[in-house]
Amino acid sequence: MDTHVFLWAIAEPKRLSTKSRNAISKLENQVFVSPVTAYELSYKHKLGKLPAGSAITASFGRQLAHLYASELPVSASHGLAAGQLDWDHKDPFDRQLAAQAMVEGFTLVTADEDLQAFEPVATLW
């Protein structure tokens, strides 16, 4: 799931689409959250764009457990794929999440229209 979906899943689940909420909550589905999400949350908090960021980052592991989610480590293949994406999108967080989804063959849960429009990435919303 992308960073916004993670935030909404833990704090405002009604903001999720029904399809996304169902996919995230089904115990038979494996749910992964990237450390890129932790980085983005921490960075946005540092910049003042996420005032509640300290509480979220301090409880990141507990939030993963609450969602029955696993952390998806970032590998060299993910980084190399992100750097080589044929995509004009400049957001390094989105590029990394897209690359991880592509390399792992995962569906990325996202409300982000730019990610949804990037056809090499399977998305769900």
Side-chain angles (χ1 to χ4, degrees):
M1 69 180 73
D2 78 1
T3 304
H4 280 96
V5 171
F6 176 76
L7 280 173
W8 295 339
I10 63 172
E12 299 178 81
K14 291 184 181 204
R15 290 190 70 175
L16 297 171
S17 71
T18 300
K19 191 187 288 187
S20 297
R21 191 170 39 255
N22 289 342
I24 292 167
S25 64
K26 283 187 182 174
L27 293 179
E28 62 266 19
N29 288 340
Q30 286 188 290
V31 176
F32 292 96
V33 177
S34 174
V36 172
T37 293
Y39 173 34
E40 184 174 12
L41 292 169
S42 182
Y43 186 66
K44 286 187 176 184
H45 173 64
K46 182 181 183 301
L47 294 177
K49 294 181 178 183
L50 188 62
S54 61
I56 295 166
T57 55
S59 65
F60 191 80
R62 286 193 312 276
Q63 300 302 339
L64 285 179
H66 175 75
L67 295 172
Y68 299 100
S70 300
E71 184 177 326
L72 176 64
V74 177
S75 69
S77 61
H78 297 148
L80 292 168
Q84 295 298 312
L85 289 178
D86 188 19
W87 189 27
D88 290 335
H89 196 61
K90 304 284 189 237
D91 185 325
F93 302 112
D94 287 351
R95 291 180 68 83
Q96 187 63 56
L97 293 174
Q100 283 186 289
M102 290 171 57
V103 168
E104 299 300 329
F106 291 163
T107 298
L108 181 60
V109 181
T110 182
D112 186 316
E113 292 178 0
D114 289 330
L115 281 166
Q116 291 172 356
F118 187 51
E119 290 189 17
V121 177
T123 60
L124 179 124
W125 184 245

